[in-house]
Amino acid sequence: MLEIKNLNVHYGVIHALKEISLTVNDGEIVTLIGANGAGKTTTLRTISGLNKPTSGEILLEGKAITYLSAPQRVELGISQVPEGRRIFPEMTVLENLELGAFLRKDKHNIKQDLENIYQRFPILSDRKRQTAGTLSGGEQQMLAMGRALMSKPRILLLDEPSMGLAPLLVREIFAIIKDINSTGTTILLVEQNASMALSIAHRAYVLETGSIVMSGTGEELVKSNEIQKAYLGGE
């Protein structure tokens, strides 16, 4: 579904992504793991059109989208849940969710999709008239995911969904991610909790200082001595 070829991204003189290539197949959960500053968020932002590449290609189902705008990519089925949630705090839960469907042409289906979001995240139904900034961290994460799902994405980009959440909520969020994937949405996941990410991923890539240094199935990387030492607390 998604292919990145020899992608380079610069922030001024800083070479943030260095010739990275990766693929995400239809129906997969693929995760990017790596330390802070490795280039994980830059990768997602470049895929979603928020960062411009210096060179390289981004293909969606074989068609180049490298220089399309972010709204055009949303219309093609790419939606991102940003790091830090980035909900609209002064707006209600319902208004945040409705904004997720802003670019959709099939307006007659939005009401049903909203009900589907409420079924997946019942707390959002209970809080739909509440100002989004008053939600807890876990509730805001669910709102950010629900808002992205309202665009009816074919591929969902998730940036650090467990950040700042208690362990019990982390497990709940990852169960939701698996459920979203099981209903047909392809997922590219960036996550510092490497153990949880690899436990649900079909495949994974390891980023270090802007370069992909390792890839394999989630199971293969969990068993890797290098990954154990670097990211999973092994010796």
Side-chain angles (χ1 to χ4, degrees):
M1 175 172 282
L2 180 73
E3 186 175 9
I4 293 174
K5 293 182 176 180
N6 305 319
L7 196 67
N8 288 277
V9 176
H10 287 77
Y11 295 118
V13 298
I14 298 170
H15 198 172
L17 294 181
K18 305 166 185 173
E19 294 285 325
I20 73 164
S21 296
L22 61 84
T23 58
V24 182
N25 297 315
D26 190 13
E28 282 189 316
I29 298 176
V30 173
T31 189
L32 296 176
I33 63 172
N36 281 335
K40 305 185 303 295
T41 292
T42 297
T43 300
L44 292 195
R45 287 177 58 85
T46 307
I47 292 168
S48 62
L50 299 174
N51 287 358
K52 299 300 181 189
T54 312
S55 62
E57 278 191 296
I58 303 170
L59 305 173
L60 183 68
E61 294 184 327
K63 295 179 181 177
I65 62 166
T66 316
Y67 298 106
L68 295 184
S69 68
Q72 287 173 314
R73 298 184 201 204
V74 173
E75 289 187 291
L76 289 174
I78 297 174
S79 190
Q80 181 170 348
V81 180
E83 181 181 356
R85 290 119 204 183
R86 302 288 182 90
I87 51 132
F88 295 95
E90 303 301 322
M91 299 173 72
T92 66
V93 167
L94 174 59
E95 288 168 338
N96 270 269
L97 292 172
E98 289 174 335
L99 272 177
F102 183 75
L103 290 176
R104 285 177 53 177
K105 303 291 193 289
D106 59 332
K107 302 299 183 184
H108 57 286
N109 291 324
I110 290 175
K111 186 176 180 181
Q112 181 57 55
D113 289 335
L114 190 59
E115 288 305 314
N116 293 340
I117 295 297
Y118 288 151
Q119 287 178 20
R120 176 167 273 139
F121 305 105
I123 193 69
L124 298 185
S125 179
D126 297 340
R127 305 259 199 273
K128 59 187 170 186
R129 302 296 176 191
Q130 189 170 319
T131 306
T134 64
L135 299 178
S136 70
E139 291 163 354
Q140 288 188 18
Q141 185 61 54
M142 292 177 191
L143 177 57
M145 293 169 72
R147 181 183 61 189
L149 290 170
M150 282 298 293
S151 71
K152 295 196 79 171
R154 288 184 293 154
I155 181 163
L156 184 64
L157 311 178
L158 290 168
D159 195 353
E160 303 286 5
S162 77
M163 181 179 286
L165 302 183
L168 192 62
L169 275 174
V170 171
R171 287 193 288 274
E172 184 177 352
I173 290 295
F174 273 85
I176 291 167
I177 292 169
K178 284 186 68 175
D179 180 61
I180 292 169
N181 177 248
S182 73
T183 60
T185 304
T186 303
I187 291 173
L188 179 57
L189 168 67
V190 158
E191 179 56 57
Q192 278 221 287
N193 188 333
S195 179
M196 288 295 291
L198 292 173
S199 74
I200 68 167
H202 298 99
R203 292 187 303 108
Y205 294 86
V206 182
L207 270 174
E208 288 184 7
T209 58
S211 299
I212 291 175
V213 296
M214 189 180 298
S215 64
T217 67
E219 188 176 356
E220 285 169 348
L221 293 193
V222 163
K223 293 176 180 177
S224 161
N225 288 334
E226 291 176 63
I227 299 302
Q228 287 278 347
K229 290 176 183 176
Y231 303 107
L232 304 178
E235 297 182 0

